[in-house]
């Protein structure tokens, strides 16, 4: 997806992007996304998972596998088992809300608005649905009696179409999750017969919108390396450097959104505005390292 326009809370843009140019540069469409309902899979922390590929279920059954792929999320029990001494994901200091709002026309424009320690994003979906997300500082595990009322209090005076979107949002549709991220990358994404994938391997802040994208890339590379490539060491060699760079870049953006002093926020906004003066092409080029990824066609060379 193309990078959205970035705005101040009153609507004045920091910088603009060109979705059509971004699509052409990335080699694919960057328009509206289709909203789909996905099934979920439960993970049971009580499952045994030795690194030799033997899985013991809660019922006591033992299954031997050539490869075990663990995609058990940010708070991965598998990661804790394989790397018990590695620090767990840390709370970023912000909480995030997500909601899909039906029936609002945003003219096909995605945007992300930054205030003082606050962010509100808008992404058009198919059939006049709009995906909205927001972040704000919060104590961990804090929850409001009325999350929608809290969002309206925080963002209701911001520029259009944010007030209309919040007016049309359903309280039951709002999801809230605290944002956790791994501050130090894992030494590897595998151990013996077990491979980590997605947030289990590289939990990151959502500021680049790359959590699910990198999980898909993981799956593509893993399938390639265990069938036609160099196995699990090659999987780590291919994925660890790339996901580390994206994790670090996303965390840096997260820190920028959390600035609150007048001088730091003014300096940040001025720097973004000056960057936007270079034109949409300069904005688009900043995403090249992320969006120009291509699937592997030959085995990855592993370091000796």
């Amino acid at each position: 997806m193309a990078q959205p326009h970035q705005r101040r809370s009153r609507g004045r843009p920091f910088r603009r992007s060109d979705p059509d140019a971004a699509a052409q540069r990335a080699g694919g469409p960057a328009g509206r996304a289709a909203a789909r309902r996905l099934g979920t899979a439960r993970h049971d922390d009580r499952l045994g998972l030795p690194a030799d590929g033997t899985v013991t279920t809660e019922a006591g059954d033992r299954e031997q596998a050539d490869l075990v792929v663990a995609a058990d999320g940010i708070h991965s029990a598998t990661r804790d088992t394989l790397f018990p001494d590695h620090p767990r994901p840390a709370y970023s200091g912000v909480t995030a809300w997500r909601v899909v709002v039906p029936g609002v026309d945003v003219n096909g424009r995605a945007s992300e608005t930054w205030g003082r320690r606050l962010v509100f994003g808008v992404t058009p979906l198919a059939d006049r649905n709009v995906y909205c997300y927001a972040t704000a500082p919060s104590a961990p595990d804090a929850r409001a009696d009325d999350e929608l009322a809290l969002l309206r209090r925080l963002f209701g005076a911001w520029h259009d179409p944010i007030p209309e979107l919040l007016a049309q949002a359903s309280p039951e549709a709002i999801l809230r999750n605290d944002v956790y991220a791994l501050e130090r990358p894992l030494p590897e994404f595998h151990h013996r017969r077990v491979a980590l994938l997605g947030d289990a391997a590289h939990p990151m802040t959502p500021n680049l919108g790359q959590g699910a994208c990198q999980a898909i890339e993981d799956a593509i590379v893993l399938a390639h390396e265990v069938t036609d490539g160099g196995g699990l060491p090659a999987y780590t060699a291919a994925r660890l450097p790339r996901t580390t760079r994206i994790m670090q870049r996303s965390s840096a953006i997260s820190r920028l959104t959390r600035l609150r002093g007048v001088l730091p926020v003014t300096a940040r906004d001025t720097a973004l505005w000056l960057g936007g003066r270079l034109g949409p092409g300069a904005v688009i080029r900043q995403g090249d390292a992320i969006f120009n990824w291509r699937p592997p066609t030959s085995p990855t060379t592993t370091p000796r």
Side-chain angles (χ1 to χ4, degrees), residues 45-265:
D45 292 347
R46 293 168 292 183
L47 298 183
L49 185 59
D52 65 358
T54 302
V55 179
T56 304
T57 69
E58 185 182 8
D61 299 326
R62 293 172 63 85
E63 300 287 345
Q64 182 74 38
D66 295 327
L67 172 66
V68 176
V69 180
D72 51 341
I74 292 175
H75 302 292
S76 168
T78 308
R79 181 181 62 236
D80 291 345
T81 299
L82 299 182
F83 303 100
D85 297 327
H86 196 87
R88 293 182 173 183
Y91 181 51
S92 68
V94 300
T95 193
W97 296 268
R98 294 167 290 161
V99 62
V100 174
V101 181
V104 178
D105 186 3
V106 295
N107 297 317
R109 287 184 175 272
S111 65
E112 185 173 276
T113 303
W114 289 15
R116 191 176 298 179
R117 306 183 75 191
L118 301 173
V119 172
F120 197 99
V122 175
T123 302
L125 303 175
D127 302 324
R128 290 173 57 87
N129 290 305
V130 181
Y131 169 65
C132 302
Y133 59 89
T135 63
S138 173
D141 300 319
R143 294 296 181 267
D145 292 334
D146 188 333
E147 298 290 352
L148 182 55
L150 175 57
L151 286 171
R152 288 170 176 168
R153 179 172 64 81
L154 291 173
F155 302 100
W158 284 26
H159 66 81
D160 293 333
I162 294 173
E164 181 184 1
L165 289 164
L166 292 176
Q168 296 294 327
S170 169
E172 295 77 17
I174 294 175
L175 300 176
R176 179 174 176 176
N177 300 96
D178 292 340
V179 177
Y180 285 79
L182 204 61
E183 295 182 338
R184 180 160 60 89
L186 292 172
E188 54 191 3
F189 288 170
H190 75 285
H191 183 60
R192 297 175 67 181
R193 295 188 183 187
V194 181
L196 298 174
L197 185 148
D199 284 341
H202 42 71
M204 61 185 71
T205 66
N207 300 85
L208 286 171
Q210 283 294 302
C213 298
Q214 293 308 304
I216 293 170
E217 290 185 15
D218 288 348
I220 293 170
V221 174
L222 178 61
H224 170 77
E225 297 296 355
V226 299
T227 54
D228 301 316
L232 293 184
Y235 167 64
T236 286
R239 297 301 299 155
L240 182 57
R242 174 170 169 79
T243 55
T244 296
R245 290 191 295 269
I246 293 174
M247 282 173 53
Q248 292 171 342
R249 184 172 172 182
S250 190
S251 292
I253 296 173
S254 178
R255 288 192 293 271
L256 285 177
T257 68
R258 301 200 302 268
L259 294 177
R260 67 175 177 178
V262 174
L263 289 179
V265 171

